[in-house]
Amino acid sequence: MKHLLTVSFITCTLNSQKIIKECLDSIKNLDYPKNLIEVIIVDGESNDKTLEIVNKYPFCRIIVQKTDGPEIATAIGYNSAKNELLINFPSDNVIPNSKWLKEMVQPLIENPDVFACETLHYTYVKNDKPLNRYFALFGVNDPIAFYFHKADRASYFNNGWHLPIKAIDKGNYYIASFNSDNLPTVGANGYVIRRKIALLISKDPEKFFHMDTSLDLLKMGYNKIAFVKNSIWHKTGEELFNFLKKRKRYATSLYLNKQKVRRYHLVNFKKDQFKLIFFVLLSLTIVEPLYHSIKGYIKIHDSAWFLHPVLCFLITIVYIDTWLSFKLKVLFKKNGAQL
């Protein structure tokens, strides 16, 4: 490998005392020159011991700024970083091995036309909590991305490349070129991007959302992304009820309330109506999701596969309820204004 590149990890925190130590320890344990790494913590005014823990890591630089969410905070971190590569690295991310960073920078060193890279998988840990295992096994945090073939991570029942477009196999990683119709949900959880390109999309933090800005870059001509044949441990699924509440909150605050500024749409309601109806039918009848669970269980014997029919059913109910509530709220507001 040619000379290594300098790297800035961007980690957003808010009352993250339960997870931040494991996150930062995984960076500390990397087999990578420490003088080439910086970690920027963008904290939303935590009132627990988050910053007390962070202060024990001398390689961290702290920015305290209250925002309305981690997306704006990530853009603030991008704008403050100094190194050649930036990594979107939320506080619920853990690096699984010491060679990880060298593996992630390799495609960017070897391919000047590749502007960013991600891991091919989420890390599967046998003794992890059931939801974390499910997300890792299927490669998604939302079943809709799986069925619309826009999951940026591969399921563990895939052998190799997982998206319905051609990719070049370079040994340790794949390179794929995307367009606006097939761009997966890239941009977070160990996403590595060249700083000079990241600055094109982070100037206005209020308009930053990782999937939207990936689409913005594609329209600028940056369409080659590498997928490294390793993984990132995303410890997001701690409890089912909290997960469903989070998806409902995200659907309302990050999508429905911001439809005028959002650019990337996982589901295009004009083009994907039949696909969406088909997904709803699959989810509510359970049979087809159960097939994927059995298919996965044959490959890796883990009961977490069988959360898939449950998650498909529940997430469909949550999204239908969220959409109807939003429409009713808009209708009452409109009628109230007319009165």
Side-chain angles (χ1 to χ4, degrees):
M1 190 185 296
K2 299 178 182 178
H3 74 282
L4 295 173
L5 301 175
T6 57
V7 178
S8 298
F9 286 84
I10 312 301
T11 299
C12 304
T13 56
L14 178 62
N15 298 329
S16 306
Q17 65 177 18
K18 293 181 179 180
I19 54 178
I20 191 61
K21 184 180 186 303
E22 191 172 10
C23 171
L24 295 178
D25 279 344
S26 71
I27 297 175
K28 178 182 177 182
N29 294 332
L30 284 168
D31 177 19
Y32 204 88
K34 298 299 183 283
N35 63 313
L36 300 184
I37 297 176
E38 72 168 346
V39 179
I40 299 175
I41 304 293
V42 185
D43 185 77
E45 298 184 354
S46 294
N47 55 24
D48 64 357
K49 295 183 178 180
T50 297
L51 295 183
E52 181 182 326
I53 296 169
V54 171
N55 278 318
K56 296 178 181 178
Y57 296 84
F59 52 75
C60 290
R61 176 155 58 94
I62 301 172
I63 299 171
V64 177
Q65 185 167 340
K66 190 173 182 60
T67 67
D68 70 352
E71 297 290 344
I72 293 175
T74 299
I76 291 169
Y78 277 10
N79 293 333
S80 302
K82 304 299 182 184
N83 288 338
E84 296 165 284
L85 301 179
L86 311 184
I87 303 182
N88 188 342
F89 197 75
S91 57
D92 60 2
N93 283 185
V94 176
I95 295 167
N97 61 72
S98 63
K99 301 293 183 183
W100 185 87
L101 187 51
K102 287 183 178 178
E103 295 170 351
M104 295 302 292
V105 303
Q106 182 185 356
L108 294 162
I109 292 173
E110 296 177 349
N111 305 275
D113 57 342
V114 170
F115 78 92
C117 65
E118 279 195 347
T119 64
L120 184 64
H121 291 284
Y122 285 124
T123 305
Y124 168 67
V125 180
K126 288 184 178 180
N127 61 351
D128 202 357
K129 294 188 176 182
L131 263 184
N132 282 333
R133 303 202 314 271
Y134 165 75
F135 294 141
L137 289 167
F138 272 92
V140 292
N141 295 331
D142 188 328
I144 290 181
F146 175 80
Y147 281 103
F148 277 74
H149 303 293
K150 291 186 178 180
D152 60 331
R153 319 290 162 137
S155 168
Y156 278 85
F157 56 61
N158 287 111
N159 292 315
W161 184 240
H162 64 297
L163 293 171
I165 65 169
K166 291 183 178 180
I168 301 171
D169 190 341
K170 303 284 282 188
N172 294 330
Y173 55 89
Y174 296 99
I175 296 178
S177 299
F178 296 99
N179 60 48
S180 57
D181 292 324
N182 59 28
L183 182 68
T185 54
V186 295
N189 300 311
Y191 178 77
V192 186
I193 185 171
R194 299 185 192 274
R195 175 177 173 270
K196 63 181 181 180
I197 296 175
L199 292 180
L200 297 174
I201 43 126
S202 62
K203 294 176 182 177
D204 185 353
E206 293 290 335
K207 293 182 179 179
F208 184 91
F209 190 84
H210 66 272
M211 290 181 289
D212 291 338
T213 50
S214 297
L215 182 61
D216 295 339
L217 287 174
L218 190 152
K219 292 179 178 179
M220 296 178 199
Y222 299 102
N223 67 342
K224 285 191 177 181
I225 301 175
F227 292 79
V228 185
K229 297 177 184 179
N230 60 11
S231 64
I232 188 76
W233 192 0
H234 189 201
K235 303 182 70 175
T236 184
E238 298 301 316
E239 200 273 328
L240 179 59
F241 182 69
N242 287 337
F243 166 73
L244 294 173
K245 283 202 308 182
K246 185 189 294 185
R247 299 315 302 177
K248 183 178 178 68
R249 185 171 69 250
Y250 282 2
T252 302
S253 63
L254 295 180
Y255 185 74
L256 293 173
N257 288 342
K258 295 187 176 183
Q259 291 180 71
K260 293 182 180 180
V261 297
R262 293 297 305 272
R263 284 88 70 200
Y264 180 93
H265 302 285
L266 182 59
V267 179
N268 186 317
F269 288 102
K270 292 182 179 179
K271 294 182 179 179
D272 299 328
Q273 289 181 356
F274 291 109
K275 285 184 180 179
L276 185 60
I277 292 170
F278 187 56
F279 169 76
V280 171
L281 291 174
L282 289 178
S283 299
L284 297 182
T285 54
I286 294 179
V287 174
E288 203 274 348
L290 183 60
Y291 160 77
H292 279 108
S293 298
I294 295 170
K295 180 181 176 182
Y297 187 79
I298 291 171
K299 191 159 188 179
I300 299 176
H301 289 357
D302 189 323
S303 59
W305 288 106
F306 293 97
L307 284 172
H308 188 54
V310 178
L311 261 293
C312 286
F313 181 86
L314 291 177
I315 207 74
T316 299
I317 298 299
V318 166
Y319 284 162
I320 290 174
D321 174 70
T322 303
W323 183 80
L324 288 174
S325 298
F326 177 80
K327 289 296 183 181
L328 286 172
K329 184 178 178 181
V330 171
L331 181 63
F332 287 144
K333 186 176 180 180
K334 183 178 178 180
N335 290 339
Q338 290 175 345
L339 292 174

